[in-house]
């Protein structure tokens, strides 16, 4: 039996960045592959495929997950937020994204989307984190360029400047389908 | 002079131009690139370390539905590749390392491609192997390559690439020394660990021209390599176009053209479809080439006053099974060996040796971190032998502005003294010497690196074209490569400054060899230096053309006009002014009008090393010093870095925000090399091919880096700047090793400095057996 004959697909419905989507996925497919290959949301990156680097971090019902290890079918009915969904409504960067830009927290940028999503989850949980909390919150996201210093600065600054970080995926008025 | 005028954009902490795209998830990396009809490539690697290939059975793979091509060494012409032309895209006859590529597949998706790879059966006859570079040099050692690139017989595993530098008389220097210290050091395989793994997308047009979507740091050298490869495929004279995607990390890993790229070309050619090849993280560890390991024997001496008398270095580099440009890292290792501190007599010999280990390549610092680990460790040992404080010892021997070093480097500016003193001051060196705390130690490491380009190739050039549109927007077309360091932003700042527009008026076009003029590559900390100088020259030409155009319109002699903030004005009467866009529209919307462009090819006035390996390799030299305070846990051997001061002579900080990013990143990368990073090879096989087992440092380990920027504006650099990309990781390991010795009296000579090595050292020191 060749590979092509073995395919079984399931219907998966969930909400991504506020939009309901329906996709056909194979049971073994991970959320990252569905986002990138089926939905064209290439902001989340595959850095290792093993849940070790965090470049694929997205939020599922407000909780940060390594989407490379998150079975897509488990996202059924969930509210998923990716880096593409962080921009504020008029198409500008969110305060957290802007802090990354302003503090020099971006170099090659490959880890950046995952790093921002982890920081987003952290700030949703802890709006004014200490440096120690920021380090702990980003410990699962590897970066080879920056030494993390300016990333930590950016997240601290975003934490100081914003009083309310609405939890992505849990915005009022947006209900689970 | 421009640099004396008040600077508007140069020197400002302007955020990176591409940061918004990246932080929004919109930047397109090679992993994000798709083409209609695209196939996915996968590689079958050898599972033997040194063996004859008896047969390859790819019949089952070829039959798998969805497979479009399967290639082995027998299916393709023999086209040698690599720096010494000792490698093949698909191996023929024998394999020499575990990662050797023996077959390749193109299929409609990556799962099928990988499944097909697993169906390929290879029969081998194992051969004796050698993994220790010193054993590989012994008579009777298994030969990795029986013949050289020209087909001549190889008698040994020693590369025919000798590195010998002799300055002064080392034997006389040694004889005249009051104190002499000798020791051995080693450094190991360190992986670049770019977060974006390797990949490419190759496609041919119907005329046989190749477009390579690429992440290379050397587009124009790659163009040449791929062109030669096409000639071997019978496609002589066809065009090669390199289109760069956003690059997910460089650090020297992309200074060579790599085997996977040639395989993608083969598969695209065979199938006449675009073929994308993307590495998994496992492949990135197994089949990318790590930093070149070294074994270093070093002797250094001083007179009764502590002045250095000689330095003698003998080094073996483990080349692995094939040769990359990394085999030329001794050319840069010579920089600190000959010229860090004033040392009159120097000898350096480096031997690159073939083994059955992974082949290795250059990484950030181009060998300098390995060499400086030995030099700065033994400098502390020599200071101790002479009874002189290590800080004082360094200052006694510090380099001076204007000196000519034994290797004939013409030092222009040199801020090494300020760097060392700044570090010592911030560390609290004097207080620590008076009242040392238990298990706490201070350590210093200095650095010299090329700061004004480096003529490792015959050209060190950088091409740039500027044009300006109707609205005063300037497009800068550069051959340089952005690898995350901020090249585009630096070019925009320099161009805005020297032309007289705003940074937001600048669009930087890059990453297309069909459009952008030639550049030798992003290496040697040269990008800001060469592109900045190119922008200064091209910008001056462009500005002159604009003013010559404006003169008749404004009825002012162009010599009396200037351009600033988008406004052309008379230098005698700034009220007499005309907006730039008005001037430019008149240029275009006039019968027999003109378009304004300017170009410049900047090749720095540095020298290629001569046959004796002497000459002014760079037209300015970057200096720096790193100082750390560590605490060593004598129970566990754990090292904590309490203070980290990084002083850099940068000439001028073109953009302090980006510059600090380089310093922070290099500090942590250097600390990883010092403390945790080692690709573990057991009989040639990588044991730690993932981020759990290969430990790069995390946000929890981020260092308390305090940068000190020393700015002795250097005439050679754009607005006085020197290169800074690599220097930060050069002196880290010796600074930490010296601090550990200061803390607990244990000298670690082999990187990385693991807790186990420290505990073993402590036990030995206490008189215990190991």
């Amino acid at each position: 039996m060749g590979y092509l004959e073995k395919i079984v697909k399931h219907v998966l419905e969930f909400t991504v960045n506020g939009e309901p989507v329906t996709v056909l996925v194979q049971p073994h497919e991970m959320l990252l592959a569905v986002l990138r290959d089926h939905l064209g949301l290439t902001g989340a990156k595959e850095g290792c495929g093993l849940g070790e680097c965090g470049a694929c971090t997205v939020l599922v019902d407000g909780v940060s997950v390594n989407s490379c290890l998150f079975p897509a079918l488990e996202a059924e009915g969930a509210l998923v937020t990716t880096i593409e969904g962080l921009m504020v409504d008029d198409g500008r960067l969110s305060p957290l994204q802007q802090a990354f830009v302003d503090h020099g927290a971006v170099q090659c940028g490959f880890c950046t989307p995952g790093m921002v999503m982890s920081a987003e989850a952290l700030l949703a949980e802890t709006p004014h984190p200490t440096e120690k909390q920021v380090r702990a919150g980003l410990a699962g996201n590897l970066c080879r360029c920056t030494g993390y210093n300016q990333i930590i600065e950016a997240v601290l600054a975003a934490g100081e400047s914003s009083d309310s970080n609405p939890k992505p995926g849990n915005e009022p008025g947006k209900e689970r389908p | 002079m421009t640099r004396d005028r008040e600077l508007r954009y140069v020197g400002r902490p302007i955020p990176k131009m591409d940061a918004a795209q990246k932080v929004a998830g919109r930047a397109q990396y090679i992993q994000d690139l798709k083409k209609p009809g695209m196939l996915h490539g996968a590689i079958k690697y050898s599972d033997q370390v040194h063996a004859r290939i008896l047969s390859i059975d790819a019949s089952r793979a070829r039959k798998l539905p969805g497979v479009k091509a399967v290639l082995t060494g027998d299916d393709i012409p023999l086209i040698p590749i690599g720096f010494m032309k000792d490698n093949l895209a698909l191996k023929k006859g024998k394999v020499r390392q575990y990662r050797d590529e023996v077959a390749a597949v193109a299929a409609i998706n990556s799962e099928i491609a990988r499944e097909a790879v697993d169906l390929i059966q290879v029969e081998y006859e194992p051969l004796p192997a050698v993994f220790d570079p010193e054993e590989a040099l012994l008579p009777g050692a298994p030969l990795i390559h029986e013949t050289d690139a020209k087909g001549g017989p190889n008698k040994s595993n020693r590369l025919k690439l000798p590195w010998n530098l002799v300055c002064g008389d080392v034997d006389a220097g040694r004889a005249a020394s009051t104190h002499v210290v000798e020791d051995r050091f080693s450094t190991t395989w360190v992986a670049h660990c770019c977060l974006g793994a390797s990949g490419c997308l190759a496609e041919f047009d119907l005329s046989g021209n190749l477009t390579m979507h690429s992440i290379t740091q050397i587009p124009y050298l790659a163009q040449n390599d791929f062109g030669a490869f096409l000639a071997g495929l019978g496609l002589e004279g066809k065009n090669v176009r390199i289109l760069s995607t956003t690059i997910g990390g460089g650090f020297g890993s992309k200074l060579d053209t790599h085997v996977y790229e040639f395989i993608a070309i083969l598969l695209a050619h065979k199938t006449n479809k675009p073929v994308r090849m993307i590495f998994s993280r496992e492949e990135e560890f197994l089949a990318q080439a790590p930093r070149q390991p070294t074994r270093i024997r070093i002797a250094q001496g001083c007179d009764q006053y502590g002045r250095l008398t000689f330095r003698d270095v003998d080094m073996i580099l483990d080349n692995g099974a094939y040769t990359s440009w990394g085999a030329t890292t001794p050319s840069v290792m010579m920089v600190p060996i000959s010229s860090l501190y004033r040392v009159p007599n120097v000898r350096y010999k480096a031997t690159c040796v073939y083994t059955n280990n992974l082949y290795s390549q250059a990484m950030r610092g181009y060998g300098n971190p390995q060499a400086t680990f030995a030099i700065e460790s033994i400098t502390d040992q020599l200071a101790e032998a002479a009874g002189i404080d290590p800080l004082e010892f360094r200052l006694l021997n510090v380099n001076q502005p204007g000196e000519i070093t034994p290797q004939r480097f013409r030092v222009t500016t040199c801020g090494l003294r300020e760097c060392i003193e700044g570090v010592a001051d911030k560390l609290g060196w004097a207080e620590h010497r008076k009242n040392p705390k238990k298990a706490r130690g201070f350590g210093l490491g200095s650095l010299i690196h090329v700061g004004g380009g480096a003529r490792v190739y015959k050209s060190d050039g950088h091409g740039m074209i500027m044009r300006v549109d109707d609205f005063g927007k300037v497009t800068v077309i550069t051959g340089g490569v952005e690898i995350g360091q901020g090249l585009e932003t630096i070019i925009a700042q320099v161009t805005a400054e020297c032309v007289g527009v705003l940074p937001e008026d600048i669009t930087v076009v890059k990453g297309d060899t069909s459009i952008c003029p030639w550049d030798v590559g992003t290496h040697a900390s040269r990008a800001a230096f060469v592109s900045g100088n190119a922008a200064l020259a091209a910008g001056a030409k462009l500005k002159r053309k604009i003013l010559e155009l404006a003169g008749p319109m404004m009825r002012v002699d162009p010599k009396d006009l200037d351009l600033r903030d988008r406004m052309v004005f008379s230098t005698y009467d700034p009220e007499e002014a005309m907006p730039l866009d008005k001037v430019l529209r008149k240029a275009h919307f006039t019968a027999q009008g003109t378009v304004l462009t300017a170009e410049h090819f900047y090749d720095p006035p540095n020298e290629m090393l001569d046959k004796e390996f002497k000459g002014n390799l760079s037209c300015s030299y970057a200096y720096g010093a790193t100082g750390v305070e560590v605490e060593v846990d004598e129970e566990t051997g754990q090292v904590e870095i309490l203070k980290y001061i990084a002083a850099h002579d940068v000439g001028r900080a073109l953009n302090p925000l980006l510059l600090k990013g380089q310093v922070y990143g290099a500090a942590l990368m250097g600390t990883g090399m010092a403390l945790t990073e080692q690709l573990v090879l057991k009989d040639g096989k990588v044991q730690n091919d993932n981020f759990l087992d290969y430990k790069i440092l995390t946000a929890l380990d981020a260092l308390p880096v305090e940068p000190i920027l020393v700015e002795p504006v250097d005439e050679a650099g754009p607005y006085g700047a020197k290169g800074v990309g690599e220097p930060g990781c050069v002196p880290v390991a010796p600074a930490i090793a010296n601090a550990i010795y200061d803390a607990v009296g244990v000298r670690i000579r082999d990187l990385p400095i693991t807790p186990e090595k420290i505990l073993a050292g402590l036990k030995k020191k206490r008189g215990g057996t190991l």
Side-chain angles (χ1 to χ4, degrees):
Chain A
M1 285 284 280
Y3 178 89
L4 290 177
E5 289 99 274
K6 289 186 290 196
I7 295 173
V8 180
K9 289 196 172 180
H10 297 259
V11 177
L12 166 66
E13 293 185 56
F14 64 110
T15 300
V16 61
N17 302 328
E19 301 281 339
V21 293
T22 305
V23 280
L24 284 173
V25 303
Q26 294 175 252
H28 69 271
E29 280 188 273
M30 295 297 158
L31 180 58
L32 178 63
V34 170
L35 292 171
R36 289 178 54 85
D37 300 338
H38 298 248
L39 300 172
L41 293 167
T42 54
K45 304 297 178 202
E46 181 174 314
C48 69
L50 300 166
E52 293 162 1
C53 79
C56 64
T57 306
V58 301
L59 308 186
V60 177
D61 292 328
V63 177
S64 67
V65 302
N66 285 320
S67 64
C68 74
L69 291 187
F70 193 91
L73 290 173
E74 285 192 20
E76 177 68 34
L79 299 175
V80 173
T81 307
T82 70
I83 190 73
E84 289 90 347
L86 275 203
M87 308 254 281
V88 288
D89 288 341
D90 57 0
R92 278 182 310 156
L93 298 179
S94 74
L96 174 62
Q97 288 172 312
Q98 191 61 48
F100 267 65
V101 173
D102 294 343
H103 288 266
V106 180
Q107 288 190 30
C108 90
F110 199 86
C111 76
T112 306
M115 198 67 83
V116 171
M117 295 314 289
S118 285
E120 182 75 20
L122 170 74
L123 293 178
E125 196 72 27
T126 314
H128 303 288
T130 62
E131 185 184 327
K132 206 172 166 186
Q133 288 171 318
V134 172
R135 285 169 177 253
L138 301 179
N141 292 77
L142 297 179
C143 169
R144 192 56 155 167
C145 297
T146 65
Y148 306 98
N149 303 64
Q150 288 163 314
I151 294 175
I152 294 168
E153 276 175 33
V155 178
L156 284 171
E160 276 163 20
S161 66
S162 112
D163 279 330
S164 58
N165 272 287
K167 280 193 184 182
N170 290 339
E171 295 97 323
K174 288 185 181 169
E175 300 197 352
R176 291 172 74 118
Chain B
M1 281 192 61
T2 33
R3 67 180 166 83
D4 297 322
R5 208 183 67 191
E6 189 199 337
L7 295 174
R8 290 169 176 246
Y9 309 113
V10 163
R12 301 290 155 91
I14 296 174
K16 255 164 74 65
M17 284 170 68
D18 61 359
Q21 284 292 108
K22 287 174 171 174
V23 83
R26 291 184 182 189
Q28 195 174 46
Y29 297 82
I30 192 72
Q31 288 82 358
D32 305 327
L33 191 62
K34 281 183 183 169
K35 290 279 170 178
M38 179 180 92
L39 300 175
H40 299 255
I43 297 169
K44 172 84 175 175
Y45 297 102
S46 164
D47 59 8
Q48 297 282 316
V49 72
H50 197 194
R52 293 211 182 285
I53 302 172
L54 298 180
S55 67
I56 302 179
D57 178 3
S59 57
R60 288 173 66 207
R62 287 197 167 97
K63 282 183 202 142
L64 188 69
V67 170
K68 299 296 178 186
V70 180
L71 293 175
T72 71
D74 290 333
D75 303 321
I76 59 166
L78 197 75
I79 314 169
I81 57 172
F83 172 67
M84 297 270 275
K85 298 281 179 265
D86 57 6
N87 203 348
L88 294 170
L90 293 168
K91 308 307 183 258
K92 260 188 162 122
K94 74 172 192 174
V95 294
R96 300 174 173 86
Q97 55 172 353
Y98 273 113
R99 60 157 283 188
D100 261 353
E101 298 83 355
V102 290
V105 174
I108 57 169
N109 67 39
S110 53
E111 288 84 0
I112 296 176
R114 278 197 294 272
E115 191 178 338
V117 157
D118 290 341
L119 292 174
I120 298 169
Q121 305 270 317
V122 187
E123 211 187 327
Y124 296 100
E125 178 194 332
L127 296 168
V130 63
F131 307 105
D132 182 299
E134 288 171 78
E135 283 174 21
L137 286 172
L138 297 174
L143 274 184
I144 315 297
H145 292 267
E146 287 81 0
T147 56
D148 63 20
K150 289 173 188 153
N154 275 338
K155 294 198 179 90
S156 117
N157 290 314
R158 183 189 304 266
L159 256 71
K160 292 170 183 170
L161 188 68
W163 300 97
N164 283 303
L165 174 71
V166 179
C167 309
D169 186 338
V170 164
D171 296 326
R174 184 189 275 257
S177 300
T178 311
H179 305 281
V180 173
V181 178
E182 292 184 56
D183 216 331
R184 283 191 70 140
F185 297 88
S186 75
T187 67
T188 188
W189 294 279
V190 175
H192 300 79
C193 295
C194 301
L195 262 283
S198 301
C200 68
L201 193 161
E203 57 181 333
F204 284 91
D205 70 10
L206 293 174
S207 308
N209 299 308
L210 170 69
T211 297
M212 191 71 158
H213 301 268
S214 164
I215 53 173
T216 182
Q217 292 176 237
I218 44 142
Y220 299 86
L221 304 184
Q223 203 182 10
N224 190 48
D225 288 357
F226 297 152
F229 192 71
L230 290 191
L233 288 176
L235 297 170
E236 188 141 23
K238 296 297 180 187
N239 292 335
V240 176
R241 182 183 195 183
I242 311 283
L243 283 176
S244 308
T245 65
T246 307
I247 298 174
F251 316 118
S253 62
K254 300 158 174 78
L255 293 180
D256 284 83
T257 44
H258 290 288
V259 177
Y260 77 88
E261 297 175 291
F262 294 99
I263 291 176
I265 293 171
L266 288 169
L267 292 170
H269 182 239
K270 174 79 179 174
T271 59
N272 205 13
K273 291 266 177 71
V275 173
R276 193 178 75 171
M277 187 78 79
I278 299 290
F279 272 13
S280 66
R281 180 54 54 185
E282 183 188 9
E283 273 180 304
E284 188 74 8
F285 275 112
L286 299 177
Q288 249 298 357
R291 187 189 282 278
Q292 210 137 26
T294 58
R295 293 188 187 177
I296 307 168
R297 231 194 281 258
I298 182 168
Q300 190 170 264
C302 67
D303 65 16
Q304 57 180 317
Y305 308 106
R307 289 176 305 208
L308 289 169
T309 46
F310 79 98
R311 185 179 288 151
D312 194 357
V313 181
D314 200 326
M315 190 183 287
I316 289 175
L317 287 85
D318 188 342
N319 201 60
Y322 302 99
T323 311
S324 74
W325 273 95
T328 69
T329 51
S331 65
V332 173
M333 298 199 199
M334 286 176 183
V335 175
I337 289 171
S338 72
S339 304
L340 180 59
Y341 308 125
R342 279 172 299 146
V343 49
N345 306 297
V346 176
R347 187 161 56 199
Y348 172 50
K349 182 175 166 225
T351 308
C352 303
V353 187
Y354 282 124
T355 65
N356 291 110
N357 291 319
L358 284 191
Y359 88 82
S360 50
Q361 64 174 336
M363 184 173 170
R364 198 177 198 168
Y366 214 79
N368 195 337
Q370 293 98 306
T372 299
F373 173 55
I375 297 166
E376 279 295 67
S377 294
I378 204 137
T379 294
D380 258 36
Q381 291 169 269
L382 184 59
E384 187 182 18
I388 301 173
D389 180 81
L391 167 65
E392 197 187 320
F393 190 86
R394 285 178 170 80
L395 292 175
L396 262 172
N397 291 289
V398 77
N399 299 91
Q400 310 281 358
E403 74 180 41
I404 295 175
T405 78
Q407 206 185 341
R408 291 213 310 271
F409 297 165
R410 296 193 291 276
V411 176
T412 50
T413 55
C414 171
L416 183 55
R417 173 177 287 278
E418 291 88 329
C419 288
I420 296 173
E421 287 175 341
V423 165
D425 188 45
K426 272 214 170 173
L427 272 181
W429 187 273
E431 172 57 25
H432 172 72
R433 280 284 164 264
K434 269 184 256 161
N435 302 306
K437 293 182 192 143
K438 185 173 159 30
R440 293 268 188 100
F442 280 29
L444 289 175
S446 300
L447 80 95
I448 176 176
H449 198 62
V450 290
R455 195 162 291 269
V456 285
Y457 306 91
K458 279 178 185 158
S459 171
D460 196 12
H462 175 96
M464 187 177 275
I465 300 169
M466 282 186 192
R467 50 164 292 242
V468 59
D469 70 8
D470 277 4
F471 314 101
K473 305 288 183 194
V474 179
T475 304
V476 185
I477 306 166
T478 171
V481 179
E482 168 78 52
I483 50 174
Q485 80 280 45
L487 174 66
E488 275 180 282
T489 312
I490 296 296
I491 289 175
Q493 285 177 266
V494 172
T495 304
E497 189 77 56
C498 71
V499 173
V501 293
L502 311 186
E504 55 263 42
D505 296 334
I506 313 291
T507 301
V508 177
V509 172
K510 60 181 171 44
D512 183 347
T513 55
S514 295
I515 294 172
C516 306
W518 194 86
D519 169 76
V520 75
T522 291
H523 65 237
S525 304
R526 71 188 281 277
F529 181 89
V530 292
S531 68
N533 274 327
L536 273 176
K541 290 178 196 171
L542 187 67
K543 183 171 181 170
R544 194 160 62 237
K545 287 186 180 180
I546 292 169
L547 299 182
E548 279 167 6
L549 196 66
M553 292 179 201
M554 296 172 66
R555 295 187 187 152
V556 179
D557 187 336
K559 284 201 240 18
D560 300 328
L561 288 175
D562 200 356
L563 168 58
R564 202 177 295 168
D565 294 343
R566 303 172 173 160
M567 192 68 83
V568 180
F569 61 95
S570 158
T571 48
Y572 291 108
D573 179 10
E575 296 288 301
E576 204 173 321
M578 188 183 267
L580 174 61
D581 54 349
K582 200 172 166 191
V583 173
L584 293 167
R585 270 198 292 279
K586 283 195 176 177
H588 297 158
F589 290 99
T590 300
Q592 280 75 50
T594 184
V595 290
L596 294 190
T597 61
E599 51 88 18
H600 191 78
F601 185 68
Y602 174 75
D603 194 18
N606 48 18
E607 298 165 4
M608 197 143 185
L609 299 179
D610 65 15
K611 280 184 181 154
E612 293 185 336
F613 298 101
K614 289 175 187 164
N616 196 35
L617 184 63
S618 182
C619 52
S620 72
Y621 295 90
Y623 295 89
T626 290
V628 295
E629 180 180 8
V630 303
E631 181 161 24
V632 180
D633 185 326
E634 295 186 58
E635 296 296 314
T636 64
Q638 290 287 342
V639 175
E640 193 183 346
I641 297 175
L642 305 172
K643 279 189 187 170
Y644 190 110
I645 322 291
H648 287 279
D649 165 3
V650 298
R652 182 197 289 276
L654 295 172
N655 182 326
L657 184 72
L658 271 49
L659 195 158
K660 284 178 188 168
Q662 291 300 304
V663 172
Y664 294 138
L668 199 68
M669 188 177 274
T671 302
M673 177 181 170
L675 295 178
T676 63
E677 292 187 37
Q678 176 175 25
L679 208 55
V680 178
L681 267 70
K682 191 175 173 211
D683 293 344
K685 192 163 208 168
V686 176
Q687 305 294 305
N688 51 344
D689 57 11
N690 58 72
F691 282 132
L692 282 186
D693 298 319
Y694 183 96
K695 298 204 180 300
I696 72 169
L697 297 170
T698 74
L700 294 172
D701 312 302
L703 297 165
V705 182
E706 291 181 58
I708 298 174
L709 304 184
V710 175
E711 300 181 76
V713 174
D714 195 287
E715 288 290 329
Y719 296 100
K722 302 179 181 182
V724 75
E726 297 166 292
C729 72
V730 169
V732 186
I736 293 173
N738 288 340
I740 291 168
Y741 180 80
D742 186 43
V744 294
V746 172
R747 167 72 51 196
I748 304 295
R749 297 166 174 85
D750 307 291
L751 295 182
I753 307 170
T754 57
E756 292 79 12
K757 289 178 193 170
I758 292 174
L759 287 178
L762 283 167
K763 199 170 175 186
K764 196 174 166 190
K765 200 182 120 199
R766 292 183 193 123
T769 48
L770 291 176

